[in-house]
């Protein structure tokens, strides 16, 4: 593993939520993506699109942050890197087999418009796997949520119901969903790490991953800090 891969691994995998979150989305896509075009919307340096490439996909990561893409181009499994806006995807209609998006839509100025674009570029029967901030108990700790919202420029939060409704309007049917950081304690931990630790806090808290996963297994799968959905475009 080269230095660029090691830095990316540390940033994306040694992380209290991102590793489990993105790995779930990739698991939903499946282990064999040979020949499929996979688009990661707002994919940053393209690390997770690169993981799809390792499974055989013709993977593309789209983002507006050129500096992140410059770093991503140095990865040993770098995907195609495309500078572009999630609200105006520079791709043809029905040209993509699968769309992936990891906790991005909550930052967009117009989340529904981004979903319009994701639906437009998907082929019939194409799949969409995505995650978003939910923070279902944010009203209990408004000061923590406000700090999180400001730090990460969160414009809107989503539940599986709101995402399901928006996707249905665009011809996609949710097949499965799940939440992470489901319990009250886990949600407060997530918001506290975000409000007071930021990205470094999420990385430093990586040893908590097994405890959070165990806590999630014991809590109802109907609320949490992060919602993940797997949908398919009507064929």
């Amino acid at each position: 593993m080269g230095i660029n891969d090691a830095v990316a691994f540390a940033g994306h995998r040694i992380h209290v939520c991102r590793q489990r979150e993105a790995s779930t989305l990739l698991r939903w896509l499946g282990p064999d993506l040979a020949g499929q075009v996979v688009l990661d919307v707002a994919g940053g340096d393209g690390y997770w699109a690169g993981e799809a490439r390792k499974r055989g996909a013709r993977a593309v990561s789209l983002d507006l942050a050129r500096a992140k893409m410059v770093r991503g181009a140095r990865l040993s499994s770098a995907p195609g890197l495309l500078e572009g806006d999630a609200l105006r995807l520079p791709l043809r209609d029905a040209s993509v087999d699968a769309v992936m998006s990891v906790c991005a839509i909550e930052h967009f100025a117009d989340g529904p418009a981004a979903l319009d674009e994701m639906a437009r570029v998907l082929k019939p029967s194409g799949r969409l796997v995505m995650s978003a901030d939910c923070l279902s108990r944010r009203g209990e700790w408004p000061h923590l949520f406000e700090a999180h919202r400001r730090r990460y420029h969160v414009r809107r939060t989503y539940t599986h119901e709101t995402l399901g409704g928006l996707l249905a309007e665009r011809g996609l049917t949710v097949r499965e969903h799940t939440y992470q950081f489901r319990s009250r304690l886990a949600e407060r931990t997530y918001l506290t790490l975000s409000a007071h630790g930021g990205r470094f806090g999420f990385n430093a808290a990586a040893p908590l991953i097994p405890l959070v996963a165990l806590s999630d297994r014991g809590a109802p799968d109907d609320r949490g800090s992060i919602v993940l959905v797997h949908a398919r475009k009507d064929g």
Side-chain angles (χ1 to χ4, degrees):
M1 181 185 293
I3 184 63
N4 296 305
D5 293 292
V7 170
F9 181 94
H12 292 282
R13 297 224 181 235
I14 304 176
H15 192 289
V16 73
C17 59
R18 197 67 72 229
Q19 152 69 12
R20 196 160 61 100
E21 176 186 358
S23 294
T24 298
L25 301 183
L26 285 168
R27 175 172 57 79
W28 282 343
L29 289 182
D32 184 4
L33 299 173
Q36 295 187 40
V37 177
V38 176
L39 171 68
D40 187 359
V41 175
D45 62 6
Y47 179 85
W48 294 110
E51 294 300 295
R53 182 187 171 194
K54 290 178 182 178
R55 301 180 182 205
R58 294 156 57 196
V60 177
S61 176
L62 175 136
D63 206 283
L64 283 171
R66 183 173 298 180
K68 291 181 180 180
M69 289 188 286
V70 169
R71 294 198 303 270
R74 303 188 186 109
L75 298 176
S76 59
S77 293
L81 295 159
L82 184 61
E83 187 174 357
D85 188 345
L87 306 188
R88 292 181 295 275
L89 295 176
L91 296 167
R92 297 189 308 274
D93 294 358
S95 59
V96 172
D97 296 289
V99 170
M100 177 169 64
S101 184
V102 184
C103 260
I105 190 172
E106 64 267 28
H107 309 295
F108 296 156
D110 190 341
L115 293 177
D116 285 339
E117 285 292 274
M118 295 180 201
R120 177 183 65 79
V121 303
L122 267 178
K123 297 176 181 178
S125 298
R127 292 174 294 160
L128 169 66
V129 295
M130 67 182 299
S131 57
D133 268 4
C134 175
L135 300 166
S136 58
R137 299 177 178 87
R138 60 189 176 277
E140 296 188 32
W141 314 290
H143 61 294
L144 292 177
F145 174 68
E146 181 59 21
H148 170 82
R149 187 194 65 77
R150 287 197 309 269
R151 183 186 290 270
Y152 290 102
H153 309 289
V154 173
R155 297 171 181 265
R156 178 177 175 180
T157 59
Y158 297 84
T159 66
H160 72 280
E161 291 101 336
T162 55
L163 277 176
L166 289 167
L167 291 170
E169 291 170 1
R170 290 154 180 81
L172 288 97
T173 302
V174 173
R175 298 297 185 89
E176 55 190 324
H177 75 271
T178 191
Y179 285 86
Q180 294 183 355
F181 292 81
R182 298 176 193 168
S183 71
R184 186 177 184 277
L185 176 60
E187 276 214 66
R188 178 155 192 167
T189 299
Y190 180 92
L191 273 176
T192 301
L193 287 169
S194 173
H196 299 300
R199 289 183 175 85
F200 175 77
F202 285 134
N203 293 120
L208 297 177
I209 291 173
L211 293 177
V212 175
L214 181 62
S215 171
D216 281 356
R217 285 197 292 272
D221 197 2
D222 58 2
R223 56 164 42 186
S225 294
I226 302 170
V227 60
L228 296 80
V229 299
H230 176 197
R232 187 178 292 272
K233 186 174 181 179
D234 298 343

